């Protein structure tokens, strides 16, 4: 159930759309290039800002990056209008009039959107004008597919993070941005974010269980603390796999409200072993006893709080753990060399728009703060999780 590549596939799809659009015809007008001699690449090659030669393949494709947001919005609009579901429901080969009826859009702009989706390879168009889904669109963008994560793309990326990124320049200059706590104080924002995140988190939780199997055994574990656990997806997966395990989720009040509705959808035995407690994780005191937990999980939280709070989070985790317990930190991270990968780097940048004083995570930054909190630095383990996006760092309490 679920794909370990969920977040990676989402990112790769969005990053590549802009580049493909640039290469397939969205090149700048020649008049603009006449004023930029450095971009005149000769008569044998169409005008483009993509790298010229093989030896320049690590150079920036300026247009691909600059126009990428247009392709992203085409994808989000296709999801919002039900284009992918309509084609899937009809079994493919759907003509324009049929899509006009299903979407409720009859103006020429629908054709313009469909052409953009074809150009970005999300759709395929036959010579007689019928539309079909690409394999990845059928797998990831159709709501009846078990690999579907269109809600995550549409609701969280399209409706929330996309617009927050528009404030990046102002945040960089002023250092002023809302915190996640203030952002989620709006019940509608909290509900949209939590629901959108849930499906992708279930798939990631299953992958994390497999990844940590060689390092952390939960066979004898009885209590887990899920800090910033959102919908509870990781707790549901962990307790569903280990029937002796119970989990306490610490979350913001409005997120707890939505999380409890999702909890009510889980099997009865899982519901009984998973609970929510209200907490802003940046609080210095947690409503939990010391030394009672076998496992503390922090997924996507270390990069979502101000940098000074990260060490405090790990110190509180250390206090909550039994001797021999483990802290799992899963998050978007770049390599210690600080040169990528791109996915982890731009997700860290996105967090800046709602966490202006946050830390761009790399394994050594996590390990050093674990050590300062009391964890055995020499035993810390780092694992790749979602390739190019996230890593897992495991801290050991002696």
């Amino acid at each position: 159930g679920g794909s370990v590549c969920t977040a990676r596939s989402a990112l790769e799809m969005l990053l590549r759309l802009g580049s493909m659009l640039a290469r397939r015809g969205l090149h700048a007008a020649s008049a603009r290039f006449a004023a930029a001699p450095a971009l005149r690449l000769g008569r044998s090659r169409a005008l483009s800002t993509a790298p010229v030669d093989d030896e320049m393949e690590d150079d920036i494709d300026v247009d691909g990056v600059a126009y990428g947001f247009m392709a992203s919005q085409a994808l989000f609009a296709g999801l919002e209008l039900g284009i992918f579901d309509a084609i899937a429901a009809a079994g493919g080969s759907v003509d324009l009039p049929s899509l006009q009826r299903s979407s409720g859009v009859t103006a020429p702009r629908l054709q313009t959107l469909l052409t953009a989706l074809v150009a970005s390879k999300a759709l395929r168009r036959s010579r007689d004008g019928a539309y079909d889904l690409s394999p990845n669109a059928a797998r990831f963008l159709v709501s009846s597919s078990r690999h579907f994560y269109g809600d995550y793309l549409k609701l969280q990326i399209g409706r929330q993070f996309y617009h927050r990124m528009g404030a990046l320049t102002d945040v960089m200059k002023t250092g002023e941005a809302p915190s996640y706590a203030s952002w989620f104080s709006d019940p509608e924002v909290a509900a949209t974010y939590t629901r959108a995140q849930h499906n992708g988190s279930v798939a990631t939780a299953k992958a994390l269980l497999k990844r940590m199997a060689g390092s952390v055994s939960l066979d004898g574990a009885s209590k887990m603390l899920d800090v910033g656990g959102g919908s509870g997806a990781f707790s549901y997966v962990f307790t569903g796999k280990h029937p002796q395990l119970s989990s306490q989720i610490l979350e913001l009040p409005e997120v707890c409200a939505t999380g409890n509705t999702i909890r009510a959808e889980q099997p009865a035995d899982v519901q009984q072993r998973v609970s929510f407690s209200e907490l802003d994780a940046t609080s210095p005191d947690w409503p939990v006893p010391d030394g009672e937990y076998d496992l503390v999980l922090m997924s996507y939280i270390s990069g979502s709080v101000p940098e000074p709070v990260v060490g405090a989070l790990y110190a509180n985790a250390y206090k909550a753990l039994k001797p021999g317990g483990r802290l799992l930190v899963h998050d978007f991270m770049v390599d210690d060399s600080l040169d990528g990968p791109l996915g982890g780097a731009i997700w860290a940048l996105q967090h800046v728009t709602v966490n202006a004083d946050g830390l761009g995570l790399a394994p050594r930054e996590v390990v050093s703060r674990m050590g300062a909190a009391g964890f055995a630095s020499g035993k810390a383990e780092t694992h790749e999780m979602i390739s190019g996006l996230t890593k897992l760092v495991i801290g050991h309490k002696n």
Side-chain angles (χ1 to χ4, degrees):
S3 168
V4 65
C5 298
T6 296
R8 179 187 63 197
S9 300
L11 181 71
E12 290 177 347
M13 183 181 297
L14 297 178
L15 291 176
R16 289 174 182 170
L17 287 180
S19 181
M20 286 186 286
L21 286 173
R23 292 190 177 99
R24 296 182 64 164
L26 284 181
H27 301 308
S30 58
R32 174 166 67 86
F33 283 91
L39 295 179
R40 297 193 196 116
L41 302 178
R43 295 179 181 179
S44 64
R45 185 175 186 271
L47 292 172
S48 173
T49 61
V52 182
D53 304 311
D54 290 342
E55 62 266 22
M56 296 175 63
E57 64 182 5
D58 62 345
D59 201 354
I60 185 174
D61 178 351
V62 177
D63 284 350
V65 173
Y67 301 155
F69 76 98
M70 301 177 189
S72 299
Q73 284 289 21
L75 181 66
F76 302 148
L79 287 164
E80 294 277 6
L81 293 173
I83 299 298
F84 307 108
D85 276 355
I87 296 173
S93 298
V94 179
D95 59 16
L96 175 62
S98 297
L99 290 173
Q100 288 174 327
R101 288 190 294 273
S102 67
S103 67
V105 180
T106 58
R109 60 180 176 271
L110 182 63
Q111 178 65 78
T112 304
L113 173 63
L114 295 174
T115 299
L117 291 172
V118 171
S120 59
K121 299 186 179 180
L123 299 181
R124 294 174 176 176
R125 187 177 188 272
S126 67
R127 291 185 176 181
D128 61 0
Y131 292 93
D132 285 286
L133 301 171
S134 74
N136 271 350
R139 186 181 188 195
F140 298 122
L141 304 179
V142 174
S143 60
S144 59
S145 169
R146 70 187 184 94
H147 299 290
F148 174 69
Y149 62 99
D151 280 349
Y152 164 75
L153 293 173
K154 176 177 67 176
L155 300 176
Q156 189 179 104
I157 306 302
R159 294 188 188 179
Q160 294 183 317
F161 283 143
Y162 188 96
H163 300 288
R164 282 303 314 153
M165 280 298 284
L168 178 63
T169 299
D170 287 341
V171 173
M172 294 300 297
K173 290 180 176 179
T174 67
E176 297 178 1
S179 66
Y180 274 98
S182 64
W183 202 32
F184 289 170
S185 64
D186 182 329
E188 184 177 350
V189 170
T192 298
Y193 184 99
T194 305
R195 279 282 178 185
Q197 184 71 29
H198 181 68
N199 287 341
S201 290
V202 168
T204 303
K206 292 177 179 179
L208 192 149
L209 266 181
K210 294 178 181 179
R211 177 66 69 186
M212 60 183 256
S215 301
V216 181
S217 173
L218 296 181
D219 291 341
S222 62
K223 297 187 73 174
M224 167 180 165
L225 192 61
D226 188 354
V227 183
S231 69
F234 283 81
S235 289
Y236 307 142
V237 169
F238 277 47
T239 57
K241 181 72 172 179
H242 298 277
Q244 84 290 350
L245 185 66
S246 65
S247 181
Q248 182 179 358
I249 302 167
L250 305 182
E251 254 299 358
L252 296 165
E254 296 300 341
V255 178
C256 285
T258 303
N260 272 314
T261 65
I262 297 173
R263 173 177 165 270
E265 301 166 3
Q266 308 307 310
D269 68 311
V270 171
Q271 292 184 43
Q272 293 171 1
R273 290 182 286 116
V274 175
S275 62
F276 282 84
S277 298
E278 295 183 1
L279 174 75
D280 181 342
T282 63
S283 170
D285 298 309
W286 291 359
V288 300
D290 293 346
E292 283 205 9
Y293 295 88
D294 302 283
L295 183 72
V296 174
L297 170 65
M298 297 181 186
S299 183
Y300 301 128
I301 186 170
S302 298
S304 303
V305 298
E307 185 276 332
V309 175
V310 177
L313 286 176
Y314 300 165
N316 277 337
Y318 187 87
K319 289 194 299 182
L321 284 167
K322 298 175 181 177
R326 300 290 186 268
L327 168 60
L328 306 183
V329 172
H330 170 247
D331 220 309
F332 297 104
M333 297 189 202
V334 297
D335 298 333
D336 286 335
S337 55
L338 301 183
D339 57 359
L342 177 60
I346 61 177
W347 262 103
L349 188 62
Q350 180 281 132
H351 280 308
V352 168
T353 66
V354 283
N355 180 34
D357 296 319
L359 175 69
L361 299 176
R364 68 183 175 195
E365 299 286 356
V366 174
V367 170
S368 68
R369 286 164 176 78
M370 284 183 174
F375 290 92
S377 298
K379 294 183 179 180
E381 304 172 50
T382 300
H383 303 270
E384 289 291 323
M385 261 294 295
I386 304 175
S387 179
L389 281 175
T390 71
K391 302 180 192 294
L392 171 67
V393 180
I394 302 175
H396 297 242
K397 180 176 180 177
N398 289 328

